[in-house]
Amino acid sequence: MNAHLIAVSVALASVGPTMLMAQSQAPATRRAQEIVALINSGTPVGIRAYVDSAFADQMKRMPMKAHIDFMLGQREQSKGVDWVEVQDATPNRTTALLKRKLTGEYLAIMVMVDDKAQISGIGQQAPRPKGGVAEPKIATDAAMVSELEKYVNTLAQADVFSGTVLLAKDGKVLYSGVWGQANKDFGVPNKLDTKFNLGSMNKMFTSTTIAQLVEQGKLSYEDPLSKFLPNFPNPEAAKRIKIKHLLSHTSGLGSYFNEEFEKSSRARFRTVDEMMTLAKGDSLAFEPGTRWSYSNTGMLVLGKVIEVVTGQDYFQYVRDHIYKPAGMINSDAYELDHVNPNLAVGYERDFQADGSKQFRNNVFMHVIRGGPAGGGYSTV
């Protein structure tokens, strides 16, 4: 037996008795049980060996670190998972219902295999409680507050949550709390008015702005993109893409966070026009309106449509027509190389070869300024 096969054998043995239990299952179910075992007790060396032996070629093209981070990240967030039952299964696809040991929450992991029983896809699905029985409802506001506080404290004490929480009903704040640090270099604690990166939640501000312009009669959901951007991504495609397709992720456009973005200085992309240069080579993956596929480029294009229709800078228009009327004085697409009071630094866990972890800030992984598709900041 060569060294590679020895490593694979050690890796599979290290994940425990679940592996043996899995042998008699359908291929996808057996692989799902192996993945759960890796999440619970696999080491980086064992995960690497398992990927080499059990993953299909297209999955192996992903960076090995992505596979290791997925397995160890799931363990970090859950402190291990218990296998509950199979939610759905075919020979080539299984969705397994699991339960997080830390919080008792359900989650579901879907595992796909090819005809050789090699893993061709892994993803999370919406869980259905065991037996289809709905979880009990919380009867009172006080009970809700108590459950929320207990839940978030559990996460914070396990060091898997850092941030702020606010619960309100009918305009009245029922509960608020703060945990963790906004800046680990200087030990600066989070505050209730700390600004956090919103990720893709900025898309709702872009969408609301488009809806306002529709209400004002300045554009229609049925308008073709060619009415505003006649040559994007090309003249023929612009005629077929409608505003409603951009809003609903059915345009066929992809993501401008592409290889050029990864290799470029983030300082190059501060305006909508500068961001649009990243999307200049985009093409339709399918006929608009025929399929759904999440699209950052589609939302960016809507930001440009807003500029064309209003004759104003996207960022200023959103400030004037979304943030200001709503009293959102701590929300914006801040430029990260400027001084921005109360702005939190984002962190992720970086898992080492021995399974240990350290925090790494994500400042250089993201945009220097958010835009129509995401990356802005706000507070609870």
Side-chain angles (χ1 to χ4, degrees):
M1 182 179 287
N2 63 36
H4 174 72
L5 291 178
I6 291 173
V8 173
S9 298
V10 171
L12 298 185
S14 72
V15 300
T18 303
M19 187 68 65
L20 298 175
M21 180 181 70
Q23 298 304 318
S24 63
Q25 303 289 340
T29 299
R30 175 167 57 85
R31 290 302 193 189
Q33 290 180 323
E34 292 170 3
I35 293 297
V36 169
L38 282 172
I39 289 172
N40 283 334
S41 58
T43 64
V45 171
I47 293 167
R48 182 182 297 272
Y50 183 78
V51 169
D52 286 341
S53 67
F55 278 42
D57 288 343
Q58 70 265 29
M59 292 288 285
K60 290 179 183 177
R61 294 190 191 105
M62 294 174 59
M64 183 61 69
K65 188 177 185 304
H67 298 303
I68 293 172
D69 285 352
F70 172 79
M71 304 293 185
L72 297 185
Q74 288 288 337
R75 184 194 307 170
E76 179 73 16
Q77 291 292 319
S78 65
K79 304 309 176 188
V81 295
D82 292 321
W83 181 282
V84 180
E85 64 182 12
V86 173
Q87 273 195 182
D88 301 292
T90 67
N92 295 96
R93 181 194 299 256
T94 286
T95 300
L97 182 66
L98 313 175
K99 200 170 188 179
R100 292 186 174 96
K101 293 181 178 179
L102 178 62
T103 61
E105 291 174 284
Y106 289 109
L107 73 154
I109 288 183
M110 180 270 295
V111 177
M112 295 185 296
V113 299
D114 61 19
D115 292 338
K116 297 179 181 179
Q118 298 292 90
I119 295 173
S120 58
I122 302 175
Q124 288 193 224
Q125 302 286 299
R128 295 196 305 268
K130 186 177 180 181
V133 178
E135 296 188 32
K137 293 183 178 180
I138 298 174
T140 66
D141 291 346
M144 173 68 79
V145 167
S146 176
E147 287 293 317
L148 176 60
E149 184 172 41
K150 177 183 176 182
Y151 174 76
V152 182
N153 277 331
T154 296
L155 297 179
Q157 288 166 10
D159 199 25
V160 295
F161 175 74
S162 173
T164 58
V165 170
L166 187 145
L167 175 67
K169 180 181 179 181
D170 298 329
K172 177 184 177 183
V173 174
L174 301 179
Y175 176 76
S176 62
V178 182
W179 297 263
Q181 296 177 331
N183 186 300
K184 292 183 178 295
D185 289 329
F186 298 98
V188 177
N190 285 318
K191 301 186 296 182
L192 204 59
D193 64 347
T194 296
K195 304 181 184 78
F196 295 96
N197 192 307
L198 292 176
S200 284
M201 289 178 69
N202 280 88
K203 290 180 172 68
M204 65 184 173
F205 303 138
T206 299
S207 300
T208 302
T209 302
I210 289 290
Q212 289 179 344
L213 294 173
V214 170
E215 284 186 337
Q216 296 165 17
K218 295 181 178 179
L219 58 79
S220 164
Y221 296 125
E222 297 293 334
D223 281 341
L225 180 58
S226 58
K227 182 175 179 179
F228 313 101
L229 302 176
N231 296 312
F232 184 87
N234 59 66
E236 282 305 309
K239 293 175 184 176
R240 303 202 303 273
I241 298 172
K242 297 182 178 182
I243 296 299
K244 65 181 182 182
H245 297 145
L246 299 168
L247 285 167
S248 58
H249 298 278
T250 58
S251 67
L253 296 172
S255 178
Y256 63 97
F257 295 118
N258 49 28
E259 187 176 359
E260 181 183 350
F261 172 77
E262 292 298 331
K263 293 181 178 180
S264 299
S265 166
R266 305 300 195 256
R268 286 180 51 196
F269 312 113
R270 297 175 189 264
T271 68
V272 170
D273 280 339
E274 288 167 347
M275 296 172 195
M276 286 286 291
T277 63
L278 290 167
K280 64 180 180 297
D282 214 336
S283 59
L284 297 185
F286 51 85
E287 184 63 23
T290 63
R291 284 173 48 193
W292 184 95
S293 182
Y294 193 83
S295 174
N296 283 307
T297 297
M299 282 291 165
L300 172 62
V301 169
L302 285 174
K304 184 57 187 175
V305 169
I306 290 168
E307 290 191 334
V308 171
V309 171
T310 66
Q312 290 184 245
D313 170 71
Y314 167 85
F315 301 100
Q316 189 60 53
Y317 192 87
V318 171
R319 283 189 208 107
D320 291 342
H321 295 85
I322 301 292
Y323 299 147
K324 194 176 292 183
M328 298 172 66
I329 60 173
N330 290 310
S331 302
D332 210 331
Y334 301 103
E335 296 181 70
L336 298 187
D337 56 348
H338 292 189
V339 176
N340 300 296
N342 293 338
L343 201 74
V345 175
Y347 296 92
E348 65 173 29
R349 287 172 176 80
D350 193 18
F351 294 99
Q352 307 302 300
D354 62 358
S356 63
K357 61 183 183 295
Q358 63 186 25
F359 283 103
R360 180 174 63 169
N361 78 59
N362 61 15
V363 171
F364 297 102
M365 297 173 62
H366 291 295
V367 293
I368 202 168
R369 187 190 196 184
Y377 285 75
S378 193
T379 72
V380 292

